Amino acid sequence: MSDMIGKCALITGGSRGIGAAAARLLAAAGCNIAFSYVSDTAAATALTSDLEAMGVKARAVKADMGTEDGMLAFFQSVDQAFGAPDYVINNAGITGAITKVAELDTAELRRVVDVNVFGAMLCCREAVKRLSTAHGGRGGAIVNLSSAAVRLGSPNEFVHYAMSKGAIDSLTLGLAREVAQEGIRVNAVAPGLIETDIHASAGAPDRLERLGPGVPIGRAGTAEETAEAIRWLLSDAASYVTGAILPVTGGR
Ligand code: NAP
């Protein structure tokens, strides 16, 4: 029997892509789902209906994960609907437009850092306050979304994005060690080329077709394949795994 039945997962940026795939996978395991999104209400509404049809409770919250107000509003909404979560997937992330560093727009850089770094750190802070046994919580697990970009550096595309994901790796390692005796495991998945809308949003809808064949496995990965790694890291099967950064890259 699934160890996730009746548990609650909080997912930042869950309306599409990897977050939505994780929501479906955890719901299939019996987990109630709360997710945030920022703009695509149609996708959020459709996913909520799908999750409820799977027999779990689902709540979509429109809130900007790149602001403190948005992050606090999301967590407070989940507090009211479900109480403290058991699992937190720190997933909301953006690349910004493809650019060389010399042409990087300041506002774009700030937005990427706000969502990917500031938001991720605030999400972990709010998660620890609710999950930590030192704060009266019952423990739980956090998975942060890193990227293969940390190792590749993403030259000529988005060095600023790679930099922001480097912060996720430090956050994962440091927080994992800080709360290891407070009932919380903290891990990250580092996806490579994954089939989601993020590439089109960056201005390169053909990116997967161009780069997929060069991946050692010979293709881009799917959001579902990435969600499987997230699910495992959250599950009791990974009970001795913390501070790990798991590549989901097809060998890239
Ligand atoms: P995606 O398809 O673009 O979906 C992004 C999701 O995050 C959407 O649900 C979006 O909501 C939400 N979101 C974005 N900014 C937000 C904000 N400020 N506040 C609240 N929600 C926000 O992205 P993805 O490919 O699934 O990426 C998910 C994570 O994996 C990101 O952290 C990304 O950096 C990481 N990653 C992805 C890849 C890849 O190849 N796909 C590779 C490495 C790492 P709306 O629907 O409302 O826009």
Side-chain angles (χ1 to χ4, degrees):
M1 191 163 64
S2 165
D3 55 323
M4 293 185 166
I5 292 174
K7 299 272 180 71
C8 170
L10 179 152
I11 306 172
T12 66
S15 49
R16 294 181 291 115
I18 293 167
R24 291 179 197 281
L25 203 56
L26 295 186
C31 195
N32 299 316
I33 307 290
F35 68 89
S36 65
Y37 69 102
V38 71
S39 60
D40 196 337
T41 303
T45 305
L47 178 62
T48 305
S49 300
D50 288 355
L51 298 174
E52 287 173 346
M54 295 168 80
V56 301
K57 295 179 194 157
R59 187 178 187 90
V61 180
K62 186 174 183 182
D64 184 353
M65 302 292 94
T67 70
E68 182 171 30
D69 285 352
M71 188 62 70
L72 294 182
F74 179 37
F75 270 86
Q76 285 159 8
S77 173
V78 178
D79 288 342
Q80 285 163 12
F82 297 128
D86 300 282
Y87 310 123
V88 172
I89 305 176
N90 206 349
N91 169 76
I94 55 173
T95 59
I98 285 178
T99 179
K100 289 194 168 202
V101 171
E103 279 85 47
L104 178 60
D105 178 76
T106 306
E108 186 103 322
L109 168 63
R110 191 169 298 282
R111 181 66 180 155
V112 167
V113 172
D114 280 349
V115 176
N116 296 4
V117 180
F118 186 75
M121 186 86 214
L122 290 182
C123 178
C124 282
R125 183 187 74 188
E126 294 307 308
V128 168
K129 284 200 254 178
R130 288 160 175 82
L131 271 55
S132 166
T133 53
H135 291 266
R138 58 179 182 274
I142 299 171
V143 170
N144 297 322
L145 267 291
S146 178
S147 173
V150 175
R151 285 182 291 104
L152 300 171
S154 303
N156 305 310
E157 288 194 311
F158 21 65
V159 173
H160 54 299
Y161 169 76
M163 173 198 74
S164 74
K165 291 298 183 178
I168 293 290
D169 287 7
S170 298
L171 167 61
T172 301
L173 186 59
L175 184 62
R177 291 174 175 176
E178 187 165 303
V179 299
Q181 298 197 24
E182 297 178 20
I184 308 175
R185 294 182 299 103
V186 185
N187 293 291
V189 295
L193 273 179
I194 307 298
E195 292 169 9
T196 72
D197 299 338
I198 203 168
H199 311 283
S201 300
D206 65 338
R207 194 164 177 265
L208 296 171
E209 289 70 34
R210 264 193 298 116
L211 300 178
V215 174
I217 270 186
R219 62 171 176 85
T222 66
E224 290 71 25
E225 288 173 311
T226 313
E228 284 286 0
I230 295 171
R231 183 186 58 80
W232 179 74
L233 285 169
L234 291 173
S235 76
D236 289 350
S239 56
Y240 198 59
V241 180
T242 197
I245 296 158
L246 177 59
V248 183
T249 62
R252 191 167 181 241

